[in-house]
Amino acid sequence: MRDPRLTAISKGLKRRGRLVAQAVSPPRRAVGTVPAPRPAADGGDGYVAPRAARLVESPVFVLSSVRSGSTLLRVLLNSHSRIRAPHEMHLRTLHVRLTRGFTAAAMKELELDKAELEHVLWDRVLHLELTRSGKDVIVDKTPPNSLIWPRLHRCWPDARFVLLLRHPGAIVASLTSRRTDPDREAILAEVLGYCEKLEEARQRLDGAHVITYEELTAEPERVTRGLCAFLGVPWESGMLDYGRNDHGTFRPQLGDWSSTIRSGRIQPARTADPGADLPPRLAAFARAWGYEV
């Protein structure tokens, strides 16, 4: 009979050997886990995919600066029986990643590249929201869309654009009043960036419908009638009583959430301070848009 002490020693040595082997071996990947992504590979061969078919051929984009009344315009439009205008969707921050060296090549065989994959994703999001609503016109009013309007136009050649303008001085004043520790230079630079892209769109987008926040609040029926004619839908008086309809949650990053918009009533626009100085570039945009400076 074998000595029990030798048996215990033998088992101990085998166990120690297994532990040492595990310590120096590379970690095993558990069954079913997703491998860690490798550095993104977007092709880099200059390939540009053709435009794929769109589920939504003619979406509507409101181009505006921040603090220009786009949430008010959204809820007025969303009160129409045929128009779905949800909260800000921020499509420009919705991206795809090609995480393997061969992914770009695989997509190229399908006549897709990273940009067109993102366009397909954006289109699917709009279509899903439109289908859920049961309506037939969708409007995205995200202000930063103004900064990428050429790409939106490239993604949807038949898209319709509404330019919502406001006096640059009033935008500056509104941003300044909303921030706890406002940096005037940063605010002026932010507003200038929006105004430059809006003026670019105003000059280059044929057929865009241009309105101002001041007109919208002063003559809402006239302005919304013009918008409905532009969108090819009959005007509905219920649009002006937007507080009677459900427009989702008003919260930061998704649009205005102030007591003004929560009131459910169209309120007069606060005008720009006539005594406030504007930098020359902002003053030039104000004049070009018909405002007194």
Side-chain angles (χ1 to χ4, degrees):
M1 176 178 284
R2 187 172 182 180
D3 189 333
R5 290 175 298 178
L6 293 177
T7 301
I9 292 172
S10 176
K11 289 182 178 179
L13 290 174
K14 289 180 179 178
R15 180 174 180 274
R16 180 173 296 181
R18 287 196 303 269
L19 293 174
V20 171
Q22 291 173 5
V24 300
S25 299
R28 293 183 179 181
R29 192 166 63 217
V31 175
T33 58
V34 177
R38 299 174 186 172
D42 295 344
D45 61 355
Y47 173 68
V48 177
R51 192 175 74 90
R54 298 287 185 257
L55 296 173
V56 181
E57 284 291 339
S58 187
V60 181
F61 294 99
V62 174
L63 304 183
S64 74
S65 168
V66 293
R67 306 306 303 159
S68 291
S70 61
T71 299
L72 173 62
L73 180 57
R74 171 181 92 79
V75 294
L76 294 175
L77 292 172
N78 195 53
S79 298
H80 195 285
S81 62
R82 290 179 52 188
I83 301 173
R84 175 57 177 151
H87 59 72
E88 296 175 8
M89 289 187 278
H90 298 286
L91 295 178
R92 76 184 188 119
T93 64
L94 197 60
H95 301 291
V96 300
R97 293 181 59 204
L98 309 183
T99 59
R100 292 291 188 269
F102 49 76
T103 310
M107 292 299 99
K108 184 176 180 180
E109 290 297 312
L110 300 175
E111 295 189 320
L112 293 167
D113 59 10
K114 181 178 183 295
E116 188 58 20
L117 282 166
E118 289 177 346
H119 293 168
V120 169
L121 176 59
W122 296 356
D123 179 61
R124 182 68 177 95
V125 170
L126 293 188
H127 183 261
L128 182 61
E129 180 62 20
L130 193 58
T131 302
R132 286 171 172 170
S133 73
K135 299 183 178 184
D136 59 279
V137 177
I138 189 160
V139 178
D140 181 10
K141 73 86 175 178
T142 311
N145 279 345
S146 305
L147 308 178
I148 62 161
W149 73 261
R151 185 173 180 188
L152 293 174
H153 187 48
R154 186 167 68 251
C155 178
W156 287 281
D158 295 324
R160 291 166 288 179
F161 292 90
V162 175
L163 272 61
L164 174 61
L165 307 179
R166 188 183 186 185
H167 193 302
I171 301 174
V172 171
S174 181
L175 281 173
T176 302
S177 67
R178 296 276 292 189
R179 296 181 179 173
T180 55
D181 187 20
D183 181 336
R184 181 169 173 78
E185 293 304 314
I187 288 173
L188 289 173
E190 181 179 355
V191 176
L192 178 60
Y194 276 104
C195 288
E196 288 175 339
K197 296 303 290 186
L198 284 169
E199 179 61 13
E200 180 182 270
R202 192 174 76 94
Q203 294 291 337
R204 295 174 56 187
L205 276 175
D206 294 334
H209 188 75
V210 182
I211 64 175
T212 70
Y213 177 52
E214 292 84 359
E215 291 175 332
L216 178 64
T217 55
E219 302 179 84
E221 180 175 338
R222 179 182 66 82
V223 173
T224 53
R225 281 185 179 275
L227 275 166
C228 286
F230 173 68
L231 299 178
V233 297
W235 182 75
E236 296 177 356
S237 61
M239 297 172 67
L240 305 184
D241 194 11
Y242 74 85
R244 298 174 66 90
N245 299 286
D246 180 16
H247 304 290
T249 303
F250 295 109
R251 50 170 288 190
Q253 283 79 54
L254 300 185
D256 187 13
W257 69 97
S258 68
S259 59
T260 301
I261 196 67
R262 291 173 185 272
S263 72
R265 295 180 292 105
I266 301 171
Q267 301 189 28
R270 287 178 290 181
T271 57
D273 180 1
D277 288 332
L278 280 179
R281 287 283 291 157
L282 284 180
F285 287 128
R287 293 189 188 95
W289 298 347
Y291 295 108
E292 293 184 4
V293 179

